[in-house]
Amino acid sequence: MKTYPSWRLTILDMIMPAPRHRPPLKRPMWIIVLVSMVSLMLIGAYVYPPRSYAACYIFSSDGCKSISNWLPPAPAREFTDDEIVARVVIRDILKTPPLHSKNPKIAFMFLTPGTLPFERLWDRFFQGHDGRFTIYIHASREKPVHVSQYFVGREIRSDKVVWGKISMVDAERRLLANALVDPDNQHFVLLSDSCVPLHDFDYVYNYLMDTNISFVDSFEDPGPIGSGRYSEHMLPEVEKKDFRKGAQWFTMKRQHATVVMADSLYYTKFKLYCKPGMDGRNCYSDEHYLPTLFTMVDPGGISNWSVTHVDWSEGKWHPKSYRARDVSYELFKNITSIDESVHVTSAEKKEIQIRPCLWNGMKRPCYLFARKFYPETLDNLMHLFSNYTAV
Ligand SMILES: *[C@@H]1O[C@H](CO)[C@@H](O)[C@H](O)[C@H]1NC(C)=O
Ligand SMILES: *[C@@H]1O[C@H](CO)[C@@H](O)[C@H](O)[C@H]1NC(C)=O
Ligand SMILES: *[C@@H]1O[C@H](CO)[C@@H](O)[C@H](O)[C@H]1NC(C)=O
Ligand SMILES: *[C@@H]1O[C@H](CO)[C@@H](O)[C@H](O)[C@H]1NC(C)=O
């Protein structure tokens, strides 16, 4: 959708009206002075376009965009040493075909404080698919108690995780590093203790393996809880225009997991300058680091939506958490039939961005997993599992 900057029309209105109406002669002087001043300002802006963003706000950002379109492109910024290093390393990783594996597996990486309430459900999900998956558990608070053989002994060395702090990203990196040790792992899925599967194993396996993109959520939110969290300390490497937001629950192809391992430049920027209480604002690295990194280094390589469904429609600070009474065949039918991703910005106008979920160019259901479910839903989920995954 294209919007036309209103000030351009204003200029035309001001320059053109003379032939149409004869200006009344007895206009009060002040109107003439005011109109001349405003016209001069606008003509000045036309002839000497503003170079800084601050100046653009006088005219609204739309006007600014079209002014900058008329300018010759800004000269490329000179990269720092660290940026040159980061760029060549990442470029080469992306250009190197992934390791060929005769036995490609998916790494399921669970980020949890302790015991996983849905182990019995996941056990059912994994049954009969030995050799096609590996499980990794990052238990940040206490040693989990297991009920499924698949999960026994799968904990990695973990550390404390504080919600919203960089330790969350550190835990994700720790999981990726451990899972990358196995060369058969070709795709990496991050899951929480409150996540449940929406489809059977084969469906999930084929959905993730038969495409060459990572499902990393990313969108531009110009509002206070999007770009409003950006800090100029991140310059010059991370510009505000590249700052993105997205849910942390990703799936990633092997090359992208390696990119995350290779990056220390952008990671460090987020560690230092995207944290709660930064410049009087709260920035959460787990919601911004990966969406921004991939938007900068491989925008076409990510889906821009997360395959883990969550319901924000109640408009509260936390998403809807499902109770036992909420779990029904109809709920799962509803979630698994969604084939468009929806992002709502936090700007005053609450712009809603709706995009089809395109999988290898085809419109398909968006979601493989869902959160957040209370542990009390387990029995209902077990009871319904074979029914809803058959959809
Ligand atoms: C994701 O969004 C970026 C812009 O941020 C865009 O360049 C890219 O093409 C999108 N990816 C897909 C798969 O549509
Ligand atoms: C994915 O594969 C398609 C063709 O199968 C190709 O056109 C596209 O460029 C690839 N995308 C990436 C990010 O490698
Ligand atoms: C399923 O979707 C329909 C149509 O949007 C809605 O009326 C219904 O309440 C939903 N049911 C559940 C359990 O979410
Ligand atoms: C599951 O599906 C079967 C066959 O369609 C049906 O008989 C059964 O009642 C369903 N179970 C639940 C819990 O919906």
Side-chain angles (χ1 to χ4, degrees):
M1 190 173 63
K2 182 131 180 70
T3 55
Y4 293 92
S6 53
W7 67 266
R8 276 178 68 180
L9 302 179
T10 320
I11 284 188
L12 293 180
D13 288 350
M14 287 180 175
I15 298 173
M16 307 304 265
R20 278 188 281 137
H21 314 280
R22 193 173 252 277
L25 291 175
K26 280 191 185 166
R27 274 272 163 86
M29 195 60 186
W30 67 271
I31 293 187
I32 298 173
V33 172
L34 189 71
V35 167
S36 327
M37 278 174 65
V38 170
S39 318
L40 276 177
M41 241 175 83
L42 288 168
I43 291 167
Y46 182 93
V47 179
Y48 304 104
R51 312 236 159 196
S52 84
Y53 279 99
C56 297
Y57 288 140
I58 303 174
F59 300 103
S60 93
S61 56
D62 280 349
C64 189
K65 264 183 213 151
S66 42
I67 290 170
S68 51
N69 285 346
W70 302 337
L71 285 177
R77 179 168 60 79
E78 188 171 67
F79 294 134
T80 63
D81 287 349
D82 287 345
E83 260 179 309
I84 295 171
V85 170
R87 280 165 183 265
V88 293
V89 169
I90 292 172
R91 186 203 59 197
D92 278 15
I93 293 170
L94 294 174
K95 288 211 162 153
T96 310
L99 283 177
H100 182 73
S101 164
K102 281 207 187 92
N103 178 31
K105 293 191 286 192
I106 293 181
F108 290 84
M109 310 183 301
F110 289 89
L111 190 54
T112 175
T115 296
L116 291 162
F118 300 118
E119 246 187 60
R120 262 172 64 214
L121 182 68
W122 286 106
D123 183 273
R124 172 89 68 88
F125 172 81
F126 289 124
Q127 257 171 43
H129 303 283
D130 298 55
R132 300 169 77 205
F133 65 89
T134 348
I135 292 171
Y136 300 86
I137 306 164
H138 186 288
S140 55
R141 219 180 291 148
E142 59 205 13
K143 197 173 156 38
V145 178
H146 297 296
V147 293
S148 160
Q149 282 308 305
Y150 294 125
F151 287 78
V152 173
R154 300 308 306 167
E155 289 89 351
I156 64 163
R157 191 194 61 76
S158 306
D159 210 340
K160 257 193 274 177
V161 171
V162 181
W163 185 79
K165 294 222 176 144
I166 197 73
S167 55
M168 184 74 93
V169 175
D170 293 339
E172 294 172 6
R173 286 166 60 101
R174 206 174 282 127
L175 279 163
L176 284 172
N178 279 270
L180 278 162
V181 171
D182 184 341
D184 287 334
N185 286 332
Q186 298 294 306
H187 207 99
F188 302 78
V189 181
L190 183 71
L191 295 160
S192 82
D193 50 318
S194 74
C195 286
V196 304
L198 292 173
H199 291 279
D200 65 19
F201 184 88
D202 281 322
Y203 184 101
V204 170
Y205 186 92
N206 297 335
Y207 195 102
L208 297 178
M209 295 293 228
D210 294 348
T211 184
N212 56 2
I213 63 165
S214 294
F215 295 92
V216 175
D217 189 25
S218 173
F219 76 110
E220 192 171 3
D221 176 356
I225 63 171
S227 305
R229 294 170 170 176
Y230 172 80
S231 158
E232 285 185 353
H233 291 293
M234 289 191 186
L235 286 171
E237 293 89 346
V238 182
E239 295 177 41
K240 192 170 187 176
K241 69 174 174 54
D242 295 325
F243 196 71
R244 292 291 186 281
K245 178 174 165 163
Q248 76 182 112
W249 309 105
F250 62 74
T251 85
M252 229 178 246
K253 59 180 182 175
R254 191 168 177 103
Q255 284 168 318
H256 282 163
T258 312
V259 165
V260 176
M261 298 295 96
D263 172 45
S264 75
L265 172 66
Y266 303 108
Y267 165 80
T268 306
K269 285 277 161 171
F270 280 82
K271 178 177 179 163
L272 294 176
Y273 306 120
C274 176
K275 53 189 180 184
M278 181 73 208
D279 293 345
R281 291 167 296 203
N282 291 324
C283 187
Y284 306 107
S285 279
D286 56 281
E287 290 183 6
H288 298 282
Y289 166 57
L290 293 176
T292 305
L293 175 68
F294 285 110
T295 296
M296 289 173 66
V297 305
D298 192 17
I302 58 169
S303 60
N304 297 326
W305 88 85
S306 166
V307 287
T308 297
H309 177 267
V310 71
D311 182 355
W312 283 104
S313 65
E314 291 179 345
K316 298 193 185 139
W317 187 244
H318 288 290
K320 178 173 173 65
S321 293
Y322 299 103
R323 294 272 177 199
R325 62 166 182 272
D326 301 318
V327 172
S328 63
Y329 180 77
E330 193 195 357
L331 173 71
F332 283 90
K333 220 174 142 78
N334 276 6
I335 297 176
T336 53
S337 64
I338 299 170
D339 58 6
E340 286 177 333
S341 81
V342 178
H343 286 120
V344 183
T345 72
S346 61
E348 225 171 297
K349 273 193 276 173
K350 298 248 180 291
E351 188 202 341
I352 300 175
Q353 306 170 359
I354 300 177
R355 302 224 162 74
C357 290
L358 294 179
W359 184 91
N360 288 351
M362 281 176 285
K363 197 170 180 190
R364 280 190 71 175
C366 309
Y367 301 115
L368 302 178
F369 313 103
R371 54 194 279 270
K372 309 175 64 150
F373 289 80
Y374 279 106
E376 67 177 41
T377 57
L378 177 64
D379 287 339
N380 286 6
L381 290 167
M382 292 293 291
H383 188 60
L384 281 172
F385 184 71
S386 24
N387 270 28
Y388 72 69
T389 56
V391 197

